[in-house]
Amino acid sequence: MHNPIHHTTLEPSADHKQGIARSFSRAAPHYDRYAAFQRACGDRLCDLIGQIKGQRLLDAGCGTGWFSRRWQAQGHRVIALDLSAAMLACARQQRSAGAYLLGDIERLPLATGSMDGVFSNLAVQWCDSLPRALAELYRVLRPGGTLALSTLASGSLAELEQAWGRVDGGVHINGFLSETAIAEAFAPYRHRLLAEPQQLHYPSLSELLREIKGVGAGYLHGGRAPGLTSRGRLRALEASWPHHPAGLPLSYRVVYGVLYRD
C-alpha cells in the first residue's frame, strides 16, 4: 500500500486554531479524568455505526487516543490526528495508533482516497467551516468508505449562556451551528443524521466549570472577558443558574452523522 501521509507541515488555518490547540494541550494531562461525556458520545457513535469495513482508519480529533485504541483493538491500522501536540503525545504514550499526525481537519495532510473509514468524536464543532471539514474528510475516504462523526448543535450549554446573560450580558460560550445548518452541510452526500438531547447535572458550579476547563473546552473565539471568574461574579452566576433536584443542569444537543463515500 502506498503511504497515505503527506509529510508536509500544515499550520492551523487561523490564529484562533493555535488558541484551541493550546487550550487542549493544557488539558491533555488530566483530560481523561473529566471526559465522561465525551466518551459517552463516542460510545453512542460506535453503537450507531457498528464495524467499519477495511483496515485504514483516521481518528480525526483523536484527543488522548481513547477511541483510537478501541479501533486498533478491532484490527484497524489507525492514524491518530489532532490539532494539539500534547494530546497526540498522550495518544502516542499509550500506543493508541500506528501513526500520529499533528494537523487540522479542514486541511488534512492525507492523500485523497487513502482511508477506509474516518471516526471523529466531538471535534468538528471547533472547525471554522463544517462544509469544508466534511469535504476534506470525504476527500480522504476511498469509494465505499464511511465517515462517522459527532458534533454539538445550537442549544448546547444553554444554561451557561443564559446565566451569564443575566450576570453581565456578555458572550461566554462559542456559537454552535443550528441542526438545520448541520443538515445543509451534509446534504451533498449520502448520509444519515440523528440529533439527541443530553442533560448533565453537577453538584456545584465549580465542578461544572472545572469539567469544561478540564476537557479543554473553555477556549473562546472572541477572547475572554476580564475578571471572568472573580469570586463575586461566580456567586452571581450560580445564583442565576436554574436549579434542579439532581443538581445544576447543563444541556447539550449532540448530532451524530454517518456519511458514505460513493
Side-chain angles (χ1 to χ4, degrees), residues 79-135:
I79 293 176
L81 175 135
D82 207 274
L83 200 59
S84 159
M87 285 289 192
L88 276 182
C90 287
R92 186 190 296 271
Q93 189 175 27
Q94 297 178 80
R95 298 179 180 175
S96 304
Y100 305 87
L101 277 180
L102 184 65
D104 187 339
I105 287 173
E106 292 176 87
R107 297 192 296 170
L108 290 170
L110 289 165
T112 297
S114 58
M115 294 291 110
D116 296 308
V118 176
F119 179 85
S120 183
N121 181 46
L122 294 183
V124 297
Q125 69 268 18
W126 295 102
C127 292
D128 293 334
S129 165
L130 180 58
R132 186 163 63 233
L134 290 180

Side-chain angles (χ1 to χ4, degrees), residues 14-68:
D15 288 344
H16 73 259
K17 290 285 182 77
Q18 296 170 17
I20 294 167
R22 282 193 297 271
S23 182
F24 280 97
S25 286
R26 283 193 296 270
H30 48 254
Y31 177 89
D32 287 333
R33 189 189 320 162
Y34 296 106
F37 170 69
Q38 286 73 16
R39 288 194 293 273
C41 291
D43 287 342
R44 178 72 173 124
L45 183 59
C46 288
D47 289 343
L48 285 170
I49 58 171
Q51 182 61 264
I52 289 179
K53 294 177 182 176
Q55 279 200 313
R56 299 164 299 175
L57 186 134
L58 172 66
D59 187 357
C62 65
T64 59
W66 182 276
F67 287 99
S68 295

Side-chain angles (χ1 to χ4, degrees), residues 1 42 81 105 117 121 157 185 190 199 208 245:
M1 185 192 83
L81 175 135
I105 287 173
N121 181 46
L157 307 181
R190 188 162 62 89
Q199 190 171 75
L208 183 154

Side-chain angles (χ1 to χ4, degrees), residues 103-214:
D104 187 339
I105 287 173
E106 292 176 87
R107 297 192 296 170
L108 290 170
L110 289 165
T112 297
S114 58
M115 294 291 110
D116 296 308
V118 176
F119 179 85
S120 183
N121 181 46
L122 294 183
V124 297
Q125 69 268 18
W126 295 102
C127 292
D128 293 334
S129 165
L130 180 58
R132 186 163 63 233
L134 290 180
E136 271 293 88
L137 295 169
Y138 185 85
R139 178 185 65 79
V140 302
L141 280 174
R142 64 160 176 79
T146 302
L147 160 65
L149 68 78
S150 60
T151 189
L152 299 178
S154 57
S156 297
L157 307 181
E159 296 86 356
L160 182 60
E161 182 177 28
Q162 290 160 11
W164 270 122
R166 295 185 189 105
V167 171
D168 65 9
V171 176
H172 296 282
I173 73 166
N174 295 314
F176 298 103
L177 292 178
S178 68
E179 289 174 34
T180 300
I182 293 171
E184 287 172 354
F186 273 84
Y189 311 99
R190 188 162 62 89
H191 71 279
R192 55 191 174 103
L193 285 175
L194 174 67
E196 293 184 344
Q198 299 279 342
Q199 190 171 75
L200 310 181
H201 295 90
Y202 296 85
S204 69
L205 181 64
S206 61
E207 290 196 34
L208 183 154
L209 296 176
R210 190 180 301 122
E211 184 171 293
I212 290 175
K213 185 178 180 182

Side-chain angles (χ1 to χ4, degrees), residues 2-15:
H2 71 286
N3 189 344
I5 303 173
H6 292 161
H7 289 283
T8 55
T9 301
L10 292 180
E11 294 301 319
S13 63
D15 288 344

